[in-house]
Amino acid sequence: MGNKIVYVKELAPLTKLFEIEVAHIAERGKAGQFIILRVNDEGERIPLTIANRNPAKGTITLVFQEVGKTTEMLGLLDVGDEIHDLAGPLGKATEIPSGKTVVCVGGGIGNAVVWPQVQALKAAGNKVIAILGARTKELLILEEEITALADVTIITTDDGSYGRKGMVTHALVDLIEEGEKIDEVITIGPVVMMKFVCKATEPYGIPTQASLNPLMVDGTGMCGACRVTVDGKTRFACVEGPEFNGHLVDFDELITRLAYYQPEEKSSLEAYHRCHMDETTDNPEHGE
Amino acid sequence: MNDTPKKPKKVLNKSKVKIPMREQDPKNRIMNFDEVPLGYNADEAHQEALRCIDCKNKPCVAGCPVGIDIPAFLTLVGQKDFEGALKKIKEKNFLPAICGRVCPQEDQCEMVCTLNKPNKGREPGGIGRVERFLGDYAVEHNLDIMPDIAPPTGKTVAVIGSGPAGLTAASDMIQKGHDVTVFEALHKPGGVLFYGIPQFRLPKEILLREISGLEKMGVKFVMNYPVGKAESLDSIRERFDVVFIATGAGLPWFLGIPGENLNGVYSANEFLTRVNLMGGYKFPDGSDTPVKKIKRIAVIGAGNTAMDSARTAKRLRPEVVYLVYRRSRLEMPARVEEIHHAEQEGIDFNLLHSPIEIIDDGKGAVGAILCQEMELGEPDDSGRRRPVPIEGKVREFAVDTVVIAIGQGPNPLLSADCPELERDDRKGTIVINDLMQTSFENVFAGGDIVTGGATVILAMGQGRVAADAMHRYLMTGDPSDPEGEHI
């Protein structure tokens, strides 16, 4: 198997960071690309964006939120454990300009993807402004890492518990209105957030890339589960994306498609929880 | 073949028809994913083998894309020497349990069989059925029958893709004494044999068992390694003496009609991958990949993949499975046997219907599919009569799921990463010469990535031809050098 976990950190409640030994991806992966993993031989294939990589050490970093059965099982793994299957780097890398002013707008778990983008953008000599959003202070991740790299970092929380109160879009529009000359915006986070970021930049004509997160099965262009409509055309996010011109993306279709398996995902998680509770009742010593 | 013993003529079986193969009853089998044809037992295989008249010109051998010495192995089965027969097959084909199941023998060895005289009511020898019996016999008796392996040449071979073409090339190259590594993008080996062909046609256990035979011969398999992404083709070319690209036809086509991105519309690849590769029919106990509870489903297309999709859907126990095809029965590209099985299982065929729109149920999912009724007109470029719309006649099928099984194109993953590799711009296939060599000297290609989408056995045949050329290339530097054969 390989794919040994060498470092684990809890970034926020239910949000974990894994550093994993997988040398070829550490060497070849680029900002914006993703991997597909399975946690066991009955497991589903889920895509996760590469958050960081260390080619010298041969490791990649993944950040995930425990929202379903697969991510919960993944969260049970620890240092020394191996991930059953891990394939990548998949998808196209973020197109990195040079000598421009770029704003990276992240939300929630999406900030994990902002991290490598800011790194790559800085390395190419861009001015980078990061706008990082979270529902509340304790859910904000990777603030320190991103602040250390970006020229300016703006934090927003929905409830005002930290940084500016409000949405990332408000901070973005204020920045534009204040006269900051922005060449490009890159956004990654919840689909609704990305939709509104794109709506916000459109009137100003600022090119905006959105990193889409549709459902995937194989992730190699073979099945088309990840199809999205961009400029009226069907595109496969896994091989032609995941980043697209956000002003041309049909976000409403993406939201509908993402919701299709929610009932099954919910029942699968509930069954897993029930099964887990039985185990703990049967073996009190084995409980968590 | 001088080592083939003479068949004792007096026990020839003069039956005009094949020994029938037992099958799971359609009423039962649509409730499970177990195999449909149950295969011959030793007696049946023996009796069927005795129908072979061991004719002089052996047209069946030429009819087999991998050139198996069919009369020789049938003769050995006729003497109940099953191990000997297996050894004979394995000289040419390392995957008899697979080929016995998925080859279209009726268009190949059996079509040209001397016995085959339909006008006289005489059927060809049941070559595929006997081959399958032998493959299963090896599995059942845990026989590891290994062909002879040439002494190590010190040459290294990379095979990209573990589908039919890749497995055949790997098996041939290891036998020729080379060091072979197979790279597979997915987490299981077999390519379309795993993700595409359903459990009830080719049980995964049989597939994995035959592949493990290759491992025992020394072939190394690297899973989860999409070449072009995980490593560049250039780097692979540096690391290995010769490379064989067999990445298959993994790019599904859609119809390009309104409503195709509604929830509940799948490519056949996605539908079959969810159910086969990911085991979605066992969700939620035994697989974490969900497949929706289907009530009414339409499968579009009439090839083998469409039949596989329709029959897979049937086993998920919907109320109805429609098969929708724009041409007539005569033009259906699927194997006759597959069409027959689909009909037995109660698939509702709707021929001369061309989908024009998939209709939203109001919640972003499929509510119905609207089809134009067609009639046959003049022949088109493919020689098949062109379907033309009957004006004003449309029909709506109320469904919640649509599977598009109208074909697929070559997988672009590898070639997208290596633009210097010459491709057919229109089809996306990799361009090869008649020795299966690409525009890079030490890179060969075969199977669906060069044909654009054909059958398992044709891909295997190309794997064989490529292996011969690669061997000559490795030994002499020239893939056409006849001297290379003997080294």
Side-chain angles (χ1 to χ4, degrees):
Chain A
M1 278 193 289
N3 317 320
K4 194 162 101 185
I5 300 167
V6 294
Y7 177 71
V8 174
K9 185 179 173 188
E10 187 159 331
L11 299 179
L14 299 179
T15 306
K16 285 202 174 108
L17 176 151
F18 278 1
E19 194 179 340
I20 302 156
E21 275 177 3
V22 46
H24 64 277
I25 303 180
E27 192 188 316
R28 293 263 296 170
K30 293 201 171 63
Q33 289 190 297
F34 64 94
I35 58 93
I36 292 253
L37 64 77
R38 295 201 315 156
V39 288
N40 59 41
D41 206 35
E42 292 177 357
E44 58 179 337
R45 295 169 66 92
I46 62 158
L48 289 175
T49 309
I50 302 168
N52 200 357
R53 12 174 237 114
N54 185 336
K57 213 170 141 194
T59 61
I60 63 167
T61 301
L62 302 177
V63 175
F64 61 95
Q65 207 170 9
E66 295 177 25
V67 289
K69 181 178 175 186
T70 302
T71 43
E72 276 200 15
M73 288 193 294
L74 187 63
L76 291 176
L77 301 182
D78 210 336
V79 172
D81 291 336
E82 293 184 347
I83 292 176
H84 199 279
D85 293 291
L86 202 157
L90 299 168
K92 285 187 173 168
T94 307
E95 281 178 28
I96 302 292
S98 59
K100 305 275 181 177
T101 298
V102 183
V103 181
C104 296
V105 186
I109 193 80
N111 291 330
V113 185
V114 171
W115 184 22
Q117 284 170 344
V118 173
Q119 277 181 48
L121 287 163
K122 281 312 295 175
N126 296 287
K127 176 180 177 187
V128 182
I129 301 168
I131 302 176
L132 308 179
R135 282 212 314 277
T136 183
K137 184 181 181 204
E138 67 166 350
L139 296 178
L140 182 70
I141 59 166
L142 299 169
E143 181 199 358
E144 208 176 295
E145 287 83 351
I146 294 168
T147 308
L149 294 163
D151 295 276
V152 181
T153 304
I154 301 164
I155 308 287
T156 70
T157 49
D158 295 3
D159 62 1
S161 54
Y162 188 55
R164 278 181 61 154
K165 180 172 168 27
M167 307 288 175
V168 286
T169 39
H170 300 148
L172 177 63
V173 170
D174 285 353
L175 206 60
I176 300 169
E177 292 290 322
E178 283 159 17
E180 179 72 48
K181 192 195 140 299
I182 301 168
D183 297 304
E184 192 183 325
V185 170
I186 303 177
T187 181
I188 165 88
V191 183
V192 177
M193 183 205 89
M194 291 195 282
K195 175 181 168 177
F196 283 101
V197 167
C198 294
K199 275 201 168 162
T201 56
E202 200 167 9
Y204 300 97
I206 302 171
T208 304
Q209 296 294 314
S211 182
L212 307 185
N213 57 340
L215 299 178
M216 288 186 188
V217 183
D218 68 286
T220 63
M222 209 182 76
C223 83
C226 65
R227 51 198 199 279
V228 289
T229 301
V230 183
D231 199 15
K233 291 193 195 73
T234 294
R235 311 285 293 271
F236 285 13
C238 70
V239 286
E240 299 177 84
E243 286 171 25
F244 292 100
N245 179 344
H247 296 147
L248 302 176
V249 169
D250 183 342
F251 284 105
D252 294 334
E253 180 187 271
L254 178 58
I255 291 168
T256 307
R257 288 184 67 81
L258 278 167
Y260 189 47
Y261 282 101
Q262 263 167 15
E264 285 77 16
E265 284 160 8
K266 189 163 169 262
S267 69
S268 171
L269 183 63
E270 282 166 2
Y272 175 64
H273 283 167
R274 268 199 306 279
C275 172
H276 235 62
M277 269 159 54
D278 292 348
E279 263 173 34
T280 44
T281 338
D282 291 348
N283 310 299
E285 282 171 25
H286 195 250
E288 285 165 45
Chain B
M1 288 284 149
N2 45 15
D3 58 341
T4 305
K6 282 273 163 288
K7 187 192 296 261
K9 297 282 181 201
K10 59 183 181 213
V11 290
L12 273 178
N13 176 353
K14 293 203 172 121
S15 164
K16 277 185 148 187
V17 293
K18 295 180 190 175
I19 306 277
M21 177 141 64
R22 290 160 291 120
E23 283 186 351
Q24 252 204 97
D25 182 80
K27 281 202 272 318
N28 296 334
R29 75 193 192 215
I30 58 170
M31 309 301 271
N32 64 54
F33 275 81
D34 298 341
E35 218 179 348
V36 171
L38 299 172
Y40 281 163
N41 60 29
D43 252 3
E44 290 161 337
H46 175 240
Q47 283 303 314
E48 183 59 33
L50 290 178
R51 288 187 60 233
C52 173
I53 54 170
D54 203 9
C55 61
K56 201 169 150 213
N57 44 6
K58 309 174 185 200
C60 53
V61 181
C64 172
V66 296
I68 298 174
D69 189 348
I70 293 163
F73 90 73
L74 289 176
T75 299
L76 288 160
V77 174
Q79 295 163 348
K80 299 198 176 174
D81 179 1
F82 302 138
E83 287 200 39
L86 264 166
K87 197 149 184 144
K88 182 52 72 186
I89 287 188
K90 290 205 171 182
E91 285 172 5
K92 295 285 182 182
N93 176 11
F94 203 69
L95 309 165
I98 297 171
C99 291
R101 286 171 168 83
V102 302
C103 276
Q105 291 97 5
E106 70 276 13
D107 296 328
Q108 299 172 350
C109 53
E110 294 184 15
M111 183 175 77
V112 296
C113 173
T114 305
L115 285 177
N116 190 18
K117 294 281 183 295
N119 51 350
K120 292 184 184 161
R122 204 166 69 201
E123 290 183 353
I127 300 164
R129 294 175 179 185
V130 179
E131 182 184 27
R132 171 186 161 165
F133 161 77
L134 290 169
D136 290 356
Y137 182 87
V139 173
E140 222 169 280
H141 294 82
N142 215 22
L143 298 177
D144 282 321
I145 293 177
M146 297 292 167
D148 298 332
I149 294 184
T153 60
K155 304 284 184 188
T156 55
V157 183
V159 174
I160 307 174
S162 67
L167 291 176
T168 305
S171 133
D172 282 10
M173 291 306 267
I174 198 100
Q175 286 176 59
K176 293 175 195 293
H178 308 301
D179 182 355
V180 182
T181 306
V182 179
F183 296 100
E184 167 57 49
L186 294 172
H187 56 269
K188 295 282 186 195
V192 71
L193 300 171
F194 208 116
Y195 74 74
I197 298 189
Q199 179 76 8
F200 55 84
R201 278 221 292 137
L202 173 61
K204 305 303 166 209
E205 303 72 34
I206 301 270
L207 172 65
L208 291 176
R209 166 69 213 242
E210 289 209 329
I211 292 174
S212 79
L214 292 180
E215 274 182 297
K216 284 180 189 145
M217 281 162 68
V219 176
K220 285 165 269 189
F221 284 86
V222 181
M223 296 293 117
N224 297 308
Y225 205 82
V227 174
K229 291 292 183 185
E231 182 174 351
S232 68
L233 180 61
D234 281 340
S235 163
I236 296 271
R237 288 172 60 204
E238 291 266 308
R239 284 209 289 140
F240 293 86
D241 295 318
V242 74
V243 181
F244 181 55
I245 302 176
T247 47
L251 180 72
W253 289 339
F254 286 88
L255 291 159
I257 60 172
E260 225 166 2
N261 289 350
L262 290 169
N263 281 337
V265 182
Y266 300 88
S267 70
N269 266 3
E270 180 185 353
F271 185 67
L272 292 172
T273 297
R274 278 184 183 275
V275 179
N276 287 327
L277 174 69
M278 306 311 296
Y281 64 96
K282 292 179 269 186
F283 178 85
D285 308 312
S287 166
D288 293 337
T289 303
V291 173
K292 278 275 173 187
K293 179 77 197 124
I294 296 165
K295 283 213 182 91
R296 306 171 66 82
I297 176 170
V299 174
I300 316 302
N304 289 321
T305 310
M307 299 304 145
D308 283 347
S309 301
R311 297 177 64 202
T312 296
K314 189 76 188 180
R315 284 157 174 77
L316 301 170
R317 305 186 198 177
E319 289 163 13
V320 62
V321 180
Y322 296 115
L323 188 107
V324 175
Y325 180 48
R326 67 195 183 104
R327 298 178 190 257
S328 78
R329 189 173 189 99
L330 204 62
E331 290 84 21
M332 289 172 83
R335 288 180 71 183
V336 175
E337 188 189 322
E338 298 308 322
I339 296 171
H340 174 66
H341 278 143
E343 280 188 317
Q344 277 184 331
E345 291 172 10
I347 309 298
D348 183 345
F349 283 29
N350 295 272
L351 308 178
L352 292 164
H353 280 74
S354 181
I356 46 179
E357 185 181 352
I358 302 170
I359 298 164
D360 195 328
D361 70 347
K363 289 177 251 166
V366 175
I369 183 164
L370 190 65
C371 296
Q372 169 71 54
E373 292 188 32
M374 313 294 277
E375 60 189 352
L376 290 181
E378 294 302 305
D380 63 12
D381 295 347
S382 69
R384 300 181 295 181
R385 289 179 66 191
R386 186 194 304 275
V388 288
I390 308 173
E391 209 176 315
K393 287 194 89 173
V394 292
R395 190 171 153 207
E396 194 177 295
F397 296 86
V399 290
D400 54 30
T401 306
V402 173
V403 172
I404 316 277
I406 56 164
Q408 51 264 320
N411 192 321
L413 201 66
L414 178 70
S415 35
D417 202 64
C418 189
E420 305 82 35
L421 184 69
E422 196 188 333
R423 268 172 302 164
D424 178 312
D425 286 335
R426 198 174 54 83
K427 291 189 277 189
T429 47
I430 293 177
V431 175
I432 52 166
N433 62 22
D434 51 5
L435 294 162
M436 323 281 300
Q437 193 176 25
T438 69
S439 55
F440 293 150
E441 196 189 54
N442 71 335
V443 180
F444 293 69
D448 283 357
I449 191 66
V450 305
T451 59
T455 59
V456 167
I457 192 69
L458 280 175
M460 295 177 85
Q462 293 202 331
R464 155 111 349 118
V465 174
D468 287 341
M470 290 190 290
H471 177 65
R472 291 190 293 263
Y473 169 78
L474 286 176
M475 303 318 284
T476 69
D478 175 1
S480 63
D481 187 346
E483 281 302 305
E485 299 289 357
H486 311 296
I487 301 174

